[in-house]
Amino acid sequence: LEELDVPRVKSGGAGNKMMMLLQSSIQRDQQMAKTMAAEKKSHDCSNGMGGKLYIQDRGVSRWDTCAAEACLEAFGGRLLKLSTFLEFSGYEPETKPGRDCYTYLASKTNLDFSPGMAMLTKYNSAVNKGAVIEMPSQLGEKVIDVEQVKPYSNLCGLLAFGEEWNTVERRKVLREALRQAAQRHSPSYD
């Protein structure tokens, strides 16, 4: 956040954080529209950084994000996998739709699983669905087998942003800043 000069706002709940982001984005757009109308100027979202972000490297569940993601995207924002966003240079979501977003299809296994990326936690562990997992000895270790994790766990971190960040230029700035931050502190993906 320091790289982007974005203030940190503490709040509970992944869905609540995304709705705060959306509310801020809508209010900013409404204020800019009023200002531009009063000054008889055109609205140009590409000027200035503005905007708020929600960056989460810790695991949450799909039910924490699915409704909020739909609302955010309905107003021009995005929710992306943090791991995919950081990994690909020059990659833009429009070039390979779906690769950057979580999969919300019903499945008995986690369709977004990547071996060795996420840490096993008591929140993402499939121990409650009958998988054989030595608890707590495997907690905190990298997950190798998809059967170790719940099918609905978001294991790749997430990045949510409003419409004002949803341009190629702004995503490049965002990607570079997040990569710099990741060099200092690698995402946990737990």
Side-chain angles (χ1 to χ4, degrees), residues 8-27:
R8 182 176 183 175
V9 178
K10 292 185 179 186
S11 173
N16 182 54
K17 290 174 183 138
M18 283 190 274
M19 290 299 96
M20 289 173 59
L21 183 151
L22 178 59
Q23 180 182 15
S24 173
S25 183
I26 291 170
Q27 287 173 341

Side-chain angles (χ1 to χ4, degrees), residues 57 81-88 99 102 112-120 124 140-145 148-149 154-158 186-190:
D57 68 340
K81 292 181 201 173
L82 180 60
S83 60
T84 305
F85 188 79
L86 289 173
E87 181 181 348
F88 295 102
R99 181 177 190 166
Y102 278 102
D112 297 304
F113 178 75
S114 179
M117 181 188 301
M119 298 290 222
L120 188 65
N124 66 21
E141 294 181 14
K142 296 279 186 181
V143 181
I144 308 295
D145 183 357
Q148 291 179 284
V149 293
N154 291 355
L155 302 171
C156 305
L158 61 86
S186 294
S188 297
Y189 300 125
D190 62 359

